[in-house]
């Protein structure tokens, strides 16, 4: 089990295709630098203790899998991330909102 924060240096691995850090005790914010990994195809950060907002830069990534469920994330989920492919990607983050994702409360 991994404890602590996700290292910013992970983004120096520019040819990464998959990141699976699910089922750990990672905390803090998702590093903004992860949004620059243009080769990334799959990102699973579910079942951790991550907080803060979802990065806008994730909208530009071409991910076949995105799972950020069961964390402590807050704020608006971008409409570009509210596609059916990411249907349950944001579940069990009570601080998230979006008017297109039925299990999230609408943003004010």
């Amino acid at each position: 089990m991994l404890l602590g924060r996700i290292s910013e240096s992970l983004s120096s691995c520019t040819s990464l295709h998959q990141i699976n850090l699910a089922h750990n005790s990672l905390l803090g914010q998702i590093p903004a630098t992860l949004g620059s990994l243009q080769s990334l195809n799959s990102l699973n950060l579910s079942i951790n203790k991550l907080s803060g907002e979802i990065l806008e830069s994730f909208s530009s990534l071409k991910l076949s899998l995105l799972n950020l469920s069961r964390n402590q994330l807050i704020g608006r989920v971008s409409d570009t991330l509210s596609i059916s492919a990411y249907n349950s990607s944001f579940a069990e983050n009570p601080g998230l909102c979006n008017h297109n994702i039925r299990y999230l409360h609408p943003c004010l």
Side-chain angles (χ1 to χ4, degrees), residues 2-61:
L2 298 174
L3 304 169
R5 299 181 183 280
I6 300 172
S7 174
E8 294 270 344
S9 64
L10 190 58
S11 64
S12 64
C13 303
T14 56
S15 60
L16 274 177
H17 294 282
Q18 297 182 18
I19 297 175
N20 186 344
L21 295 173
H23 297 272
N24 285 290
S25 289
L26 299 172
L27 51 88
Q29 295 186 4
I30 299 168
T33 53
L34 289 186
S36 66
L37 292 172
Q38 294 302 310
S39 296
L40 197 61
N41 185 35
S42 172
L43 178 62
N44 188 346
L45 301 176
S46 64
I47 313 172
N48 279 288
K49 297 173 183 169
L50 297 170
S51 59
E53 296 186 0
I54 296 173
L55 305 171
E56 271 302 314
S57 55
F58 281 0
S59 298
S60 65
L61 297 176

Side-chain angles (χ1 to χ4, degrees), residues 54 75-82 90 96-98 101 104 107:
I54 296 173
R76 179 183 298 270
V77 175
S78 166
D79 285 341
T80 57
L81 292 177
S82 66
F90 311 106
L96 291 178
C97 66
N98 181 284
I101 302 173
L104 295 180
C107 300

